[in-house]
Amino acid sequence: MPRTRNPYPAGFREQLVALARAGRSVESLAREYEPCAATIHDWVKQASADDGERDDRLTSAELEELRQLRRELKQLRQERDILSKAAAWFAQNDVTSRRSSNS
């Protein structure tokens, strides 16, 4: 599903995470600022994973690497499919050109 708005700036997210870690309730932060409580909770969890405090989720660096690898895999599959179709086309035309030259 496409995003409906631009992502929040990293500095803004870091400030809200710092406020949540300092003792402010996520619900009060959600009322005061725009992001919903679930979004802020997710930011806090991700920051904890990035800091090595959690091991139940991937770090931001690991997530970015996974995204990059998936993009590369998609491109490689597309290239493979194109080469496969090209090889089949050339094989088909090679067979037909031999038949017409032998006649």
Side-chain angles (χ1 to χ4, degrees):
M1 187 170 167
R3 289 187 170 145
T4 57
R5 65 174 310 285
N6 290 332
Y8 293 99
F12 177 73
R13 291 191 308 262
E14 290 168 5
Q15 287 175 344
L16 287 182
V17 167
L19 289 171
R21 286 180 170 174
R24 294 273 309 268
S25 76
V26 171
E27 290 72 21
S28 72
L29 291 171
R31 281 191 300 271
E32 187 174 342
Y33 301 100
E34 187 178 325
C36 68
T39 300
I40 299 171
H41 275 294
D42 191 49
W43 292 345
V44 171
K45 288 177 186 177
Q46 189 62 50
S48 296
D50 291 345
D51 294 341
E53 298 168 9
R54 297 177 68 117
D55 60 356
D56 61 337
R57 65 187 314 164
L58 298 174
T59 65
S60 295
E62 292 169 331
L63 288 171
E64 183 54 38
E65 181 182 10
L66 182 59
R67 279 187 213 98
Q68 178 64 30
L69 290 171
R70 285 180 175 166
R71 278 192 297 267
E72 288 177 17
L73 179 61
K74 181 180 177 183
Q75 181 178 355
L76 289 171
R77 285 181 174 163
Q78 289 173 342
E79 291 172 359
R80 180 204 57 204
D81 291 344
I82 290 169
L83 289 172
S84 175
K85 290 175 185 176
W89 184 85
F90 281 115
Q92 177 73 26
N93 284 340
D94 188 42
V95 169
T96 53
S97 66
R98 287 185 188 163
R99 284 186 194 158
S100 60
S101 65
N102 289 340
S103 300

